Amino acid sequence: MGFGETTASAVLGQRERDGLGVPRSLLRDAVFLRLLERILRGEYRRGQRLRLEALADDMRVSRTPVREALVPLEALRLVSVQRYVGVVIAPWSVEQMQERIRLGCAMLAEPPATTGATDESFDPAWTRDCLSEAGAFVEIAAWLLRRAGASVSADLLAAQRPVLDVFYTDDVALANGIDADVDRRQRLRLLDRARAAAERDDLVLCGQLVRQLGTCLSALPDRFRSAESA
């Protein structure tokens, strides 16, 4: 299974070439993804203060798409936008990324029903533009939660897809001391089986496989901490 390439560079490059020829929403999303990648790679240090104007100049866009992109980043607790101060990079941690995955697994194990269960069919296209197995984990897990009637939990988990999807890409993981290539075949097998179970509407098996995938993902950083401390 392959995953899609990031489009931030292409979209921002097009913005440089043809000015306002890029739709505003697409430009905002590209700026969001570029900022997200830089934060998770550590190019922006935790606690670093950045001016909105400097960010806009660096990306060669106006302040509007940058301001719009900061809204979801603040909701993900990766930045804090402070009056008279600017943008402050939040003190996020690898442990927080693991906790996001574990929370998804916990919700799957005991879905907190909030509305009636749905009969929504699984669409394999939902995972095709994911950048990593973590993004696909979120997509399938959110679908399972919707099927269980836990729509609020599904929405909460789905909101984590951008940050988890990017964090577990090869280069970002490596910047955080993690080799995402380790056990990738196992994760891909779990993902393929989970997707096949979802297409058959086998919710029980799909849930088991997705939780196993989540366990593999959340355990990945600890393997390298153990190696470093040995």
Side-chain angles (χ1 to χ4, degrees):
M1 173 183 174
F3 292 101
E5 298 294 333
T6 62
T7 59
S9 296
V11 172
L12 291 173
Q14 183 179 354
R15 168 63 177 86
E16 292 176 22
R17 291 194 299 272
D18 59 13
L20 299 178
V22 177
R24 177 173 170 176
S25 61
L26 188 59
L27 186 59
R28 175 202 62 214
D29 293 345
V31 171
F32 166 79
L33 184 56
R34 175 70 66 82
L35 289 173
L36 178 61
E37 290 173 340
R38 289 184 175 182
I39 291 170
L40 296 180
R41 278 200 190 100
E43 294 180 30
Y44 297 143
R45 302 183 309 278
R46 296 165 176 82
Q48 182 177 355
R49 297 181 180 183
L50 301 165
R51 304 298 298 179
L52 183 65
E53 295 81 359
L55 290 172
D57 290 344
D58 184 40
M59 297 193 181
R60 302 191 183 188
V61 297
S62 69
R63 287 179 294 177
T64 298
V66 176
R67 188 181 295 110
E68 292 174 345
L70 289 171
V71 174
L73 285 171
E74 191 165 29
L76 289 166
R77 299 183 180 180
L78 294 175
V79 303
S80 174
V81 181
Q82 302 176 13
R83 191 175 184 183
Y84 306 122
V85 174
V87 182
V88 180
I89 305 302
W92 66 273
S93 67
V94 173
E95 288 80 5
Q96 289 173 351
M97 300 301 159
Q98 293 175 284
E99 188 59 29
R100 293 170 198 249
I101 294 283
R102 290 176 183 141
L103 180 60
C105 290
M107 289 191 292
L108 283 176
E110 297 183 21
T114 54
T115 61
T118 72
D119 58 357
E120 177 186 18
S121 297
F122 178 75
D123 186 350
W126 294 336
T127 63
R128 286 177 190 158
D129 63 343
C130 292
L131 304 174
S132 69
E133 302 95 354
F137 162 83
V138 171
E139 287 290 350
I140 301 176
W143 170 75
L144 285 167
L145 289 170
R146 291 195 299 272
R147 287 296 301 264
S151 60
V152 173
S153 296
D155 291 343
L156 289 172
L157 182 58
Q160 303 302 315
R161 174 186 157 173
V163 63
L164 290 174
D165 203 19
V166 170
F167 180 78
Y168 280 93
T169 55
D170 288 354
D171 56 342
V172 174
L174 188 61
N176 288 279
I178 304 165
D179 184 355
D181 197 46
V182 170
D183 290 338
R184 174 166 284 141
R185 287 186 179 181
Q186 178 187 359
R187 298 198 304 273
L188 290 177
R189 281 196 297 269
L190 287 170
L191 180 54
D192 286 341
R193 291 178 61 199
R195 191 166 45 205
E199 292 183 59
R200 296 193 307 269
D201 219 38
D202 188 340
L203 304 184
V204 174
L205 178 59
C206 183
Q208 292 172 348
L209 293 167
V210 172
R211 290 199 302 274
Q212 289 179 43
L213 174 60
T215 298
C216 290
L217 287 166
S218 63
L220 194 57
D222 290 331
R223 298 187 59 174
F224 294 92
R225 289 196 190 90
S226 298
E228 289 174 358
S229 60

